């Protein structure tokens, strides 16, 4: 079972850990400290918006924890971590281009500090979350997507919190009936796939549990 957080906010010490981690990452990418602090404050405002019930700092912390666990398997850990920070930077319930706008933001901010190949890699990871299919067939893309959907294989009590949090994010834009129709479509789409998880380790450990959780949610609707 995957140990994940689903909550509206983090404790102060958790926020401090995230702050320090982002600044350290930027330092390794050779950003000036003042710029790194500015970027973190901008991200903090985005991820702590009152409408963020799931796609918030707890979600980022979950992905960073998974990165720490699998770091030895990641080819480009610094850029992978940067993609974690920015993949949901833009998130609006009714928008159809959140992934694209997040990728554009990341490119705009880091274009002065990263080479063309690195920017392309960053864009590839973030854009892979659009529809949750890898834009390139490589292990980093597989792991990035698997981390992002790790919540699907959480314990039922945690999965239920996730499901409710997603509804809370969408209720400002959709009536419950329309949301249920859309949610069912998304969940059924996952079940029709050959694989929800692309990396061998996630597929072996968590595929069956994710499918079980999805079926249980569908049966409850």
């Amino acid at each position: 079972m995957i140990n994940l957080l689903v909550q509206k906010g983090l404790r102060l010490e958790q926020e401090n850990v995230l702050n320090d981690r982002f600044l350290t990452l930027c330092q390794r990418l050779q950003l000036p400290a003042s710029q790194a602090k500015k970027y973190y404050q901008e991200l903090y405002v985005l991820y702590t918006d009152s409408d963020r019930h799931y796609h918030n700092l707890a979600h980022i912390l979950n992905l960073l924890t998974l990165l720490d666990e699998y770091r030895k398997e990641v080819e480009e850990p610094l850029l992978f971590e940067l993609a974690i920070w920015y993949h949901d930077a833009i998130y609006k319930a009714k928008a159809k281009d959140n992934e694209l706008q997040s990728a554009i933001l990341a490119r705009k901010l880091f274009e002065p500090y990263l080479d063309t190949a690195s920017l392309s890699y960053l864009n590839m990871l973030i854009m892979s979350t659009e529809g949750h299919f890898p834009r390139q067939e490589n292990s980093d893309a597989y792991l990035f997507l698997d981390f992002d959907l790790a919540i699907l294989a959480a314990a039922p009590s945690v999965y239920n919190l996730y499901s409710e949090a997603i509804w809370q994010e969408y209720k400002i834009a959709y009536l419950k009936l329309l949301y249920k129709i859309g949610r069912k479509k998304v969940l059924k789409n996952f079940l029709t796939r050959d694989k929800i998880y692309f990396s061998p380790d996630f597929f072996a450990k968590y595929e069956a549990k994710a499918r079980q959780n999805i079926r249980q949610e569908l049966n409850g609707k």
Side-chain angles (χ1 to χ4, degrees):
M1 204 77 67
I2 302 180
N3 238 347
L4 299 171
L5 297 170
V6 178
Q7 55 196 54
K8 187 77 164 89
L10 296 177
R11 301 189 306 274
L12 179 59
E13 58 266 33
Q14 291 172 313
E15 290 192 356
N16 288 339
V17 166
L18 288 180
N19 178 78
D20 292 346
R21 180 148 186 171
F22 183 81
L23 297 183
T24 299
L25 172 64
C26 288
Q27 182 182 37
R28 290 176 177 168
L29 294 172
Q30 300 186 340
L31 271 71
S34 59
Q35 195 74 317
K37 290 177 182 178
K38 179 176 181 289
Y39 285 1
Y40 182 78
Q41 286 305 311
E42 291 170 351
L43 279 174
Y44 184 86
V45 169
L46 289 169
Y47 281 113
T48 57
D49 184 274
S50 60
D51 293 331
R52 301 274 193 134
H53 297 267
Y54 176 73
H55 295 90
N56 52 27
L57 288 179
H59 177 55
I60 299 302
L61 183 58
N62 285 335
L63 269 63
L64 292 174
T65 301
L66 286 167
L67 172 58
D68 290 343
E69 183 180 345
Y70 285 86
R71 184 171 291 270
K72 291 182 180 179
E73 299 180 30
V74 175
E75 294 180 11
E76 297 286 351
L78 295 182
L79 296 172
F80 193 104
E81 184 166 342
L82 188 60
I84 287 175
W85 280 102
Y86 281 90
H87 80 287
D88 282 327
I90 306 300
Y91 190 84
K92 298 176 182 178
K94 270 202 166 180
K96 304 298 183 184
D97 63 345
N98 287 319
E99 298 85 0
L100 175 61
Q101 294 305 318
S102 295
I104 289 172
L105 175 63
R107 183 180 187 91
K108 176 185 174 183
L109 295 179
F110 286 87
E111 196 164 24
Y113 309 105
L114 300 176
D115 59 28
T116 301
S118 297
L119 289 168
S120 178
Y121 172 95
L122 182 64
N123 182 78
M124 179 274 294
L125 288 182
I126 294 174
M127 289 306 298
S128 290
T129 64
E130 183 183 44
H132 283 93
F133 280 104
R135 293 297 177 102
Q136 291 181 14
E137 299 296 332
N138 62 53
S139 59
D140 279 8
Y142 298 163
L143 282 172
F144 194 81
L145 290 177
D146 290 355
F147 291 179
D148 197 34
L149 292 182
I151 192 66
L152 298 181
S157 59
V158 178
Y159 182 93
N160 291 339
L161 290 174
Y162 147 74
S163 179
E164 175 61 23
I166 295 296
W167 159 238
Q168 292 299 320
E169 289 184 339
Y170 276 85
K171 68 188 296 185
I172 63 170
Y174 294 96
L175 296 173
K176 188 68 176 281
L177 178 61
L178 293 177
Y179 170 78
K180 284 186 173 183
I181 292 171
R183 180 69 175 168
K184 282 184 178 180
K185 183 178 179 181
V186 170
L187 295 176
K188 288 179 177 179
N189 178 263
F190 279 126
L191 292 181
T192 62
R193 296 185 178 197
D194 293 334
K195 291 182 176 182
I196 294 173
Y197 296 121
F198 294 94
S199 66
D201 190 66
F202 263 71
F203 182 79
K205 289 181 178 178
Y206 305 123
E207 182 81 10
K209 183 59 183 174
R211 290 180 179 275
Q212 180 184 13
N213 280 335
I214 291 171
R215 290 190 186 98
Q216 287 178 346
E217 182 177 354
L218 284 170
N219 289 338
K221 289 190 176 296

